[in-house]
Amino acid sequence: MRAIEEASIAPAPSPLKVVLRVASTVWSNGKARIGIVILGLFILVAIFAPLLAPYGARQNGFDRSADASAAHWLGTTAAGEDVLSQLIWGSQISIFVGLVAGLLSTVIAVLVGLSWGYVRGFGADVINFIVNLFLVIPGLPLMIVIAAYLSGGGIGMIIVVVVITGWAWGARVLRSQTQSLRSRDFVTAAVFSGERPFRIVFREILPNMTSLIVGNFFGAATAAILAEAGLEYLGLGDTTVVSWGTMLFWAQNSNALLTGQWALLFAPGLCIALLATSLTLINFGVDGISNPRLREGKQR
């Protein structure tokens, strides 16, 4: 009896222990480990780009469309710029846009999804109409229209376009989970105790959706990276900055494949694919937090 009483008043685990437990669960997944290593390498390259890049991002005093050599490992562009240097510097913009746009899309999805799943009546109908409107409109044409209308806005414009078109799916998923949690006993107890709806949503329901929100962030970040590259490739972004998307844009304009400059297309395309793949692999480990059946290794 005394043991039961002591167990009932046992303190909750500290936030640090919770974070370490989550990190251990994610790291225990082999696919997630590969994704973390790849993502970590890209982040290190972006941070230390001034030290790693042999030349400046816009330094163009070299031979034009030169083949790979000891001085230029991946050759040069049609404007006489070093491809490897642009690849290293371009990681900063691509990673920044992906993480910031993914974070903002997730924040909007959380706010809309939780409120949509908890409220009833006219308010829920209004949110339902807005979300469904964004879901039925094809994403790529909508991005192209918005980007063309907001042309000249630079990287900020790309982030806004990606956020506007990327939050709806996450909001629908979070709404379904919120509706499921809304009928649980602990939420009912909070309602009868007089808790305000805002506190119930963000203090009782939100903590039980952490893994789903984190997974939504990685999915949104992956979509943002691909969307940024696509818009830049179409010439709808700021072509004066150096990113993997603008590298593809200028390579296409200079007919890189016809001139044998395959590295101009292959190198940034491979980096975009690897970065998106790393985020997808990390998501496998995040899924293991909410679904123990998906865990690998000893912690399964």
Side-chain angles (χ1 to χ4, degrees):
M1 187 69 179
R2 183 178 179 182
I4 297 176
E5 292 178 355
E6 292 178 353
S8 63
I9 61 175
S14 64
L16 179 59
K17 290 184 178 180
V18 174
V19 172
L20 293 177
R21 187 182 304 166
V22 170
S24 176
T25 302
V26 175
W27 185 256
S28 66
N29 187 289
K31 298 175 183 177
R33 281 198 298 271
I34 298 175
I36 293 173
V37 171
I38 296 175
L39 179 61
L41 290 176
F42 276 119
I43 293 177
L44 290 176
V45 168
I47 294 175
F48 297 104
L51 301 177
L52 296 175
Y55 307 102
R58 284 299 184 184
Q59 188 174 347
N60 57 359
F62 310 110
D63 295 335
R64 299 186 177 185
S65 300
D67 294 330
S69 62
H72 307 286
W73 290 4
L74 297 178
T76 60
T77 67
E81 299 160 334
D82 183 64
V83 176
L84 178 60
S85 299
Q86 287 201 332
L87 195 69
I88 295 174
W89 284 103
S91 62
Q92 294 181 331
I93 298 297
S94 298
I95 293 176
F96 174 78
V97 171
L99 297 182
V100 173
L103 178 62
L104 294 178
S105 298
T106 303
V107 170
I108 296 176
V110 169
L111 296 176
V112 175
L114 266 66
S115 58
W116 184 18
Y118 188 80
V119 301
R120 301 288 177 86
F122 179 75
D125 294 336
V126 172
I127 299 176
N128 180 63
F129 173 78
I130 296 174
V131 174
N132 288 332
L133 181 64
F134 277 90
L135 288 176
V136 298
I137 299 177
L140 181 59
L142 180 61
M143 282 193 295
I144 293 175
V145 170
I146 297 176
Y149 181 75
L150 300 176
S151 60
I155 297 301
M157 180 272 295
I158 296 291
I159 293 175
V160 170
V161 171
V162 173
V163 171
I164 291 176
T165 58
W167 61 271
W169 281 109
R172 176 172 285 279
V173 173
L174 294 174
R175 178 241 188 178
S176 301
Q177 185 67 11
T178 303
Q179 287 183 325
S180 175
L181 294 173
R182 195 180 191 276
S183 60
R184 300 291 179 86
D185 292 339
F186 65 93
V187 176
T188 304
V191 173
F192 279 108
S193 65
E195 296 285 356
R196 293 176 299 174
F198 181 86
R199 182 179 176 84
I200 294 174
V201 170
F202 291 97
R203 191 64 181 269
E204 303 292 342
I205 296 179
L206 181 62
N208 292 279
M209 303 172 64
T210 304
S211 61
L212 192 61
I213 294 173
V214 174
N216 181 78
F217 164 73
F218 283 111
T222 303
I225 291 170
L226 298 176
E228 183 270 338
L231 292 176
E232 294 284 10
Y233 176 73
L234 294 175
L236 297 174
D238 186 0
T239 56
T240 62
V241 301
V242 177
S243 70
W244 294 335
T246 55
M247 290 182 66
L248 293 174
F249 170 77
W250 290 115
Q252 188 269 341
N253 278 4
S254 61
N255 296 319
L257 291 180
L258 296 179
T259 58
Q261 300 291 306
W262 59 269
L264 295 180
L265 288 171
F266 179 77
L270 178 62
C271 288
I272 293 171
L274 286 175
L275 183 57
T277 301
S278 69
L279 296 174
T280 303
L281 292 175
I282 295 174
N283 235 346
F284 285 104
V286 175
D287 290 339
I289 299 174
S290 57
N291 189 351
R293 295 182 179 180
L294 299 177
R295 297 181 187 178
E296 298 179 358
K298 297 181 180 179
Q299 295 194 17
R300 181 170 176 175

